[in-house]
Amino acid sequence: MLSLLLLSFEETLLMVAVSGLLGALLGVPLGIILYLSARDGVLPNLVLNHVLGFTINAIRSTPFIILLVAVIPFTRLLVGSSIGTLAAIVPLTIAAAPFVARLVEVALREVDAGLIEAAQAMGASTWQIVCKVLLPEAWPGIIAGLTVTLVSLVGYSAMAGAIGGGGLGDVGIRYGYQRFLPEVMLAVVGILVVFVQLVQSCGDWLVRRLSHK
């Protein structure tokens, strides 16, 4: 049983790490575009902002268990199967990216508008404003948002186990629930609790290191 728990933990770790990385790679640029294209943004474009915002809200408002099933054809197209750890990474990434985008947008809105106006007055380009003003000032908030996303992905990955995604959720359902082995269920919950605590502690440490306060 110990080997089974270790293997399932490795699958959960893989799902959370890869989908978190891909979600950040997609979500951070989306969040920046949302901020820049807003009515009071550096490059206002209401049509783009509304279309992007509606799409992000639509994905975020879809319950993850429904999203898992809805994107099965897309998952099969990408990885050739809808079952397994690799297949579970696809819906996890789709769920993570819009979540990250909104959190990045909120973090960017916390940046002092005076700094942006000063950069514009000195003739800085949009790219320079983003790279040298917005992102350095918003990093603590962005890291805090990514930490929240990773913690949410741990829960989502357990849900993915319900439809053959593997990982600790799969073990908890198959052995803890269907075979009524409460000790397995307790072990799965204990591992998930410790894992979430570690992720949150690492995220908090990074935020403190990056914060100017």
Side-chain angles (χ1 to χ4, degrees):
M1 185 54 68
L2 180 60
S3 60
L4 178 64
L5 288 173
L6 286 174
L7 177 62
S8 61
F9 177 67
E10 288 176 4
E11 291 174 347
T12 295
L13 195 60
L14 179 66
M15 281 190 283
V16 173
V18 175
S19 60
L21 176 62
L22 294 176
L25 290 176
L26 293 171
V28 171
L30 285 175
I32 294 172
I33 293 172
L34 272 175
Y35 174 79
L36 294 177
S37 62
R39 186 185 301 276
D40 55 349
V42 178
L43 292 173
N45 185 328
L46 293 184
V47 174
L48 174 63
N49 187 270
H50 287 162
V51 170
L52 196 56
F54 176 81
T55 305
I56 287 173
N57 288 342
I59 296 174
R60 289 183 60 211
S61 60
T62 304
F64 183 67
I65 193 70
I66 295 176
L67 183 67
L68 271 171
V69 178
V71 301
I72 281 178
F74 183 62
T75 303
R76 284 181 178 153
L77 181 66
L78 283 184
V79 300
S81 172
S82 61
I83 297 174
T85 302
L86 191 61
I89 289 173
V90 177
L92 285 170
T93 302
I94 294 174
F99 195 61
V100 172
R102 281 300 184 196
L103 292 174
V104 169
E105 183 193 15
V106 170
L108 293 176
R109 288 189 179 280
E110 294 297 320
V111 177
D112 187 355
L115 292 174
I116 300 170
E117 291 172 1
Q120 289 175 317
M122 288 187 288
S125 64
T126 302
W127 178 256
Q128 289 172 321
I129 291 174
V130 170
C131 295
K132 297 185 177 180
V133 178
L134 286 173
L135 288 179
E137 291 294 323
W139 268 128
I142 293 174
I143 295 298
L146 292 176
T147 303
V148 172
T149 304
L150 287 177
V151 170
S152 298
L153 284 174
V154 174
Y156 287 167
S157 70
M159 208 180 299
I163 62 166
L168 288 168
D170 182 40
V171 172
I173 292 170
R174 283 194 296 121
Y175 291 87
Y177 177 68
Q178 294 176 345
R179 301 186 187 183
F180 196 62
L181 295 173
E183 64 274 16
V184 176
M185 185 68 80
L186 285 174
V188 168
V189 172
I191 293 171
L192 289 175
V193 169
V194 172
F195 183 45
V196 167
Q197 291 294 329
L198 286 174
V199 171
Q200 188 64 56
S201 297
C202 290
D204 291 343
W205 178 80
L206 270 176
V207 170
R208 286 196 298 272
R209 293 277 295 178
L210 293 170
S211 179
H212 297 303
K213 298 179 181 178

